[in-house]
Amino acid sequence: MSSTNQNETLGILVCTHSTLAGGFKQAIEMLMGPQENFETIGLYEGDDIMDLSKKIIELIQSMQTHKNVIFTDLFGASPTNSAAMTLVDINASIVTGVNLPMLAEILTLRNQQLPFEDLLMDIVAKGKDNIRIITKEMILEG
Amino acid sequence: MITLIRVDDRLIHGQCIVRVLADFKIEKIVIVDDFTASNPVLKNVFLLATPPQAKSVIFSVEETKPNLLQFIENNENVLLLMRSPTVALELFKSHPQLKMELNIGPISYRPDTIKVTSYTYLSTEEIEAVNEIAERRVRVYFNQTIDQKIIEWNEVKNLLRSG
C-alpha cells in the first residue's frame, strides 16, 4: 500500500446494527457540523457478514486515509466481527461499544498529531467517563 | 450435553451472545465450519468474539465427528453451531444419538436462495437437507431468540412446495 497520495487525517468509520451508525452521524453533525472522512455503515437482517467486510474495506479505501478507526456497537457481534476480519487488508484499529462522547472526542482531537495509541486510550476513557447514573435523589436533595 | 443445535450463518454474533448463550446457559460453543476452521483470521475473530462465560472451539466437519460423542456425554451445556443445514444433516447422519431438535436462526440472503422466514434464506440444496433431517424425525424449527415466535418446519415446508 503506497502512502504518498494518502491524506494524513484519521479516517473514521462507524459500523453498527441497523440504522444506529447513520443516527450517530446525524447526531454528530447536529453537534459539530459536517465532517470529512467520516463514514457509516449498518448491518441489516439478511445481510451477509463477509459482504459487510467487503463494504467496510471499500469505504475505508474510498477515504484514502493513511490510518483509520472503526467504531462498532457491540463487542462479539457481527458488525465487530466483520470489521475485525478487515484488519488483514486495511490500516485500522477497532473501538467497540461506540458512544457519542467518544466520537465527538476523536473528531475533535484527530488533527492534533497525537500518537495513535494515546488517542485511542484517550477517547475510550472519554467514552467510559461519560456513562453516569443520575438519580432522583441527586436532583431533589443535591 | 448438547443443549442446542443451531444453524446460524453469523455464528457468534450479537443475538447469540446477548440472548442465546444466556437463555440456554451455554458453557461451550462448538463451531462446525470447514471455512472458518481453515482460515486463521476468521478463527481468531470468532475466538475473540466469545464472551468470558463460555469457551469456543472451532472444528471442520471431519474434525468434529470423532469429538462429538464427548460433547454429547459431558456435563457442560454445549451449543453446536454451524452455518448451513447441510452440515447439520451430516452430523445427524454420523451421530444418531444427537438430540432430535434443530434450531434454524438467521441465514443470510444469497442469489440462489428462497426466503423462508424474515431472517432465513435457504438454497434448494439446503431445503433438501432440511427435508432429509425432518424425515429422520428431527424436529426442525425456526427461531431467533426464545422470546420470539417459533415457526415449525412443518408449517412452512408445504408453502415452499406450492410456491
Side-chain angles (χ1 to χ4, degrees):
Chain A
M1 195 189 287
S2 157
S3 64
T4 46
N5 289 325
Q6 289 188 324
N7 78 54
E8 292 299 316
T9 311
L10 204 57
I12 310 291
L13 175 70
V14 186
C15 172
T16 66
H17 292 82
S18 193
T19 59
L20 185 60
F24 271 119
K25 187 175 170 103
Q26 288 180 350
I28 279 292
E29 292 187 341
M30 184 174 158
L31 295 172
M32 306 173 70
Q35 302 291 317
E36 287 186 1
N37 300 311
F38 180 44
E39 298 289 340
T40 63
I41 187 166
L43 175 78
Y44 295 88
E45 205 161 77
D47 282 358
D48 180 81
I49 54 173
M50 301 297 173
D51 281 348
L52 182 62
S53 284
K54 278 183 213 150
K55 287 181 192 156
I56 291 170
I57 293 172
E58 285 166 14
L59 276 174
I60 293 283
Q61 287 173 343
S62 76
M63 292 194 280
Q64 296 193 308
T65 40
H66 179 55
K67 271 201 165 174
N68 305 280
V69 182
I70 305 174
F71 288 90
T72 63
D73 51 359
L74 190 64
F75 180 82
S78 294
T80 305
N81 297 344
S82 292
M85 290 170 201
T86 69
L87 297 187
V88 190
D89 300 302
I90 57 174
N91 193 5
S93 290
I94 299 169
V95 177
T96 66
V98 60
N99 62 16
L100 204 56
M102 65 168 81
L103 278 180
E105 183 80 348
I106 200 165
L107 289 164
T108 307
L109 295 182
R110 68 173 165 176
N111 294 322
Q112 291 187 3
Q113 311 299 327
L114 287 169
F116 188 61
E117 296 306 321
D118 292 355
L119 176 65
L120 293 187
M121 298 292 276
D122 186 292
I123 60 153
V124 167
K126 187 79 177 182
K128 287 182 182 173
D129 183 54
N130 243 270
I131 301 171
R132 309 280 181 89
I133 296 170
I134 299 175
T135 63
K136 192 180 175 78
E137 286 72 25
M138 286 161 71
I139 300 302
L140 297 183
E141 292 157 24
Chain B
M1 81 210 82
I2 295 182
T3 309
L4 181 67
I5 307 172
R6 177 168 166 108
V7 178
D8 181 335
D9 77 341
R10 286 158 69 187
L11 297 175
I12 299 176
H13 61 101
Q15 205 172 64
C16 178
I17 57 165
V18 173
R19 293 300 314 272
V20 177
L21 298 188
D23 290 342
F24 292 90
K25 298 182 171 56
I26 297 299
E27 295 158 289
K28 183 173 234 110
I29 306 170
V30 179
I31 295 177
V32 188
D33 186 48
D34 288 352
F35 185 62
T36 308
S38 67
N39 182 319
V41 172
L42 280 183
K43 225 171 159 166
N44 284 339
V45 166
F46 286 111
L47 291 176
L48 182 70
T50 308
Q53 70 269 27
K55 295 255 179 303
S56 283
V57 289
I58 303 173
F59 291 134
S60 68
V61 179
E62 287 312 313
E63 286 165 346
T64 305
K65 288 176 184 171
N67 288 296
L68 201 49
L69 205 56
Q70 153 205 341
F71 298 125
I72 295 171
E73 288 174 349
N74 74 10
N75 291 322
E76 280 181 314
N77 287 329
V78 174
L79 165 64
L80 193 60
L81 190 59
M82 58 215 83
R83 290 165 65 97
S84 169
T86 55
V87 173
L89 174 60
E90 212 171 313
L91 297 181
F92 279 116
K93 277 181 177 168
S94 69
H95 287 75
Q97 60 275 71
L98 271 177
K99 179 182 169 127
M100 300 287 271
E101 269 188 358
L102 178 66
N103 165 218
I104 301 181
I107 305 181
S108 53
Y109 168 84
R110 288 143 295 153
D112 55 343
T113 51
I114 297 165
K115 188 173 187 169
V116 181
T117 71
S118 66
Y119 49 86
T120 311
Y121 295 79
L122 295 176
S123 67
T124 315
E125 189 196 359
E126 286 164 346
I127 289 172
E128 268 171 32
V130 175
N131 265 324
E132 210 175 316
I133 292 167
E135 279 164 14
R136 302 177 76 88
R137 302 190 168 211
V138 175
R139 175 193 167 215
V140 181
Y141 65 99
F142 298 88
N143 182 240
Q144 297 205 80
T145 58
I146 53 171
D147 56 340
Q148 296 182 52
K149 192 173 181 278
I150 288 175
I151 302 168
E152 298 290 335
W153 173 244
N154 287 338
E155 295 171 41
V156 292
K157 68 174 182 194
N158 295 325
L159 297 175
L160 289 175
R161 220 164 270 160
S162 62

